[in-house]
Amino acid sequence: MMKKVIAIGFCLSILFVITDPARAKVGDVLKVIPDLMADNDVGITYKDSSLWAAGHNGTLYQINPENGAVLSTIKTQFSHGLMGLSNDGNHFWVVNHQDGKIYEIDYGGNTVSSFSTPNTDGGTEKGVEGLTWDGKYFWYADSSLGKLYQMDKSGNIISQCNTPGRSAQGLTWDGSYLWHFDFVTHLIYQINPANGIVIQSFNAPYNGGEGDLAFDGVHLWFSTNGTKSLYQIDIGCSNTVAIKPYTFAAGKPAKADEVNANFDTLYQKINAPDCQIQSLQTQVQALKAIVCQDHPTADVCK
C-alpha cells in the first residue's frame, strides 16, 4: 500500500527506526552498519547524504549510511597519519597527526592548502585528533594539550577551551553545539562552544579503540577502529518526517485499525517532548551545578 510522507514541524524521534512508542533516549544506538572499507578508519564526516571516512592509508571513502557499502574512494598524497575529517561544503579538511597540520583537500584528492596547529609535540604521533567545521571556523581536538581550539583557515586561534576528559579525540558540530569523544573516559560529551561547559554526556557505543564523530543533520555517527562497525546515535533532536501508515481513497471504506494507526502516528509526534526544551533544561541543570559549587547556600541550591 502506498505511503504518504507528511512533514511535522517538531524535533522528534524517527518512527521507522524507533519501533517502541516511547521516545528514544539520548545516547541510544539506533543503527549499526558494517564498516566495509579495506582500511581502518577513524576520521568521519557527513556530506551530501553520505558518510565519508579517512582511512589510515590516506584514502577517503564514501560510505552508504544505510548499509556501509563503499560508494567511491579518493586517494590523497598521504600514506598514513590521517585522523579527524571535516568538510566546509567546498573541500575536505583532514588532520594529520604525524606532522600536526590540517590539510585542505579537493574532491580529486589534491592538497590545496594547509596550516599548522598549536601542537608542538615531538613524538611520532602528536595528538592532533578530531576536526569539525561550524560554518565559519574549524574546531579541532588536541589530546596532547588537552584543548579544543577554534581556528580560521589560516591557523589563527579564535577561541579555546579545556577538554572534559583525558584523551581528546572525535569532534563534530550540530549547528549549535560541539559533540566530543574522549578515548580514556569513553564518553561522548555535548559541549557549549561559548564557554566549554559540558551540557551532558553518555557512554560511547564501544569502549575501546580510537573514535570520531559526524552529524548528519539528525543523528550522531560514531566510528572506531576497535570494531568494523559504524554507529548511528540518537541525540534527541530528530528534525524529520512522519510516515503515515495508510492512505485512503474517496468512496472506499476504511478499516478502523488503519484509521487509528494514522492517528497514533500523529499523536506520537505531537506528544513527544521537544528536544530543544530538553536541551535547555539540561543546560540549566549544568549551570546550577556550577553556581552551587561556589555558592552552596544560594536559594537555587537549597
Side-chain angles (χ1 to χ4, degrees), residues 3-41:
K3 296 180 179 179
K4 182 179 179 182
V5 177
I6 57 173
I8 301 293
F10 294 96
C11 202
L12 307 164
S13 299
I14 293 183
L15 187 65
F16 62 84
V17 175
I18 305 304
T19 55
D20 185 345
R23 181 176 178 274
K25 300 187 300 296
V26 171
D28 281 355
V29 174
L30 303 179
K31 182 192 299 184
V32 182
I33 62 172
D35 181 348
L36 301 177
M37 297 191 319
D39 181 44
N40 282 336
D41 70 286

Side-chain angles (χ1 to χ4, degrees), residues 70-209:
V70 175
L71 303 176
S72 68
T73 60
I74 298 174
K75 182 63 179 175
T76 71
Q77 72 179 61
F78 305 100
S79 59
H80 189 67
L82 301 188
M83 290 293 287
L85 179 66
S86 184
N87 75 91
D88 63 0
N90 296 312
H91 291 141
F92 289 114
W93 294 76
V94 65
V95 174
N96 188 313
H97 71 165
Q98 291 190 320
D99 63 14
K101 292 183 178 181
I102 294 174
Y103 290 86
E104 179 183 11
I105 299 173
D106 67 21
Y107 299 146
N110 305 298
T111 298
V112 178
S113 68
S114 66
F115 62 85
S116 297
T117 67
N119 187 294
T120 57
D121 191 316
T124 302
E125 296 185 357
K126 301 183 182 301
V128 291
E129 308 285 352
L131 183 69
T132 192
W133 172 252
D134 68 9
K136 186 176 181 181
Y137 299 113
F138 289 106
W139 287 86
Y140 101 91
D142 194 305
S143 62
S144 295
L145 300 177
K147 299 283 188 182
L148 301 179
Y149 288 97
Q150 185 184 39
M151 306 177 72
D152 65 19
K153 292 183 178 181
S154 297
N156 300 305
I157 297 174
I158 307 302
S159 67
Q160 61 184 278
C161 62
N162 294 327
T163 58
R166 292 184 289 161
S167 183
Q169 289 202 341
L171 199 61
T172 194
W173 173 258
D174 71 0
S176 299
Y177 301 105
L178 293 166
W179 292 85
H180 167 55
F181 166 69
D182 187 272
F183 174 66
V184 172
T185 66
H186 302 300
L187 292 175
I188 294 173
Y189 302 88
Q190 183 186 23
I191 298 174
N192 186 333
N195 50 28
I197 292 175
V198 173
I199 298 171
Q200 62 182 323
S201 64
F202 52 83
N203 291 322
Y206 180 74
N207 64 358

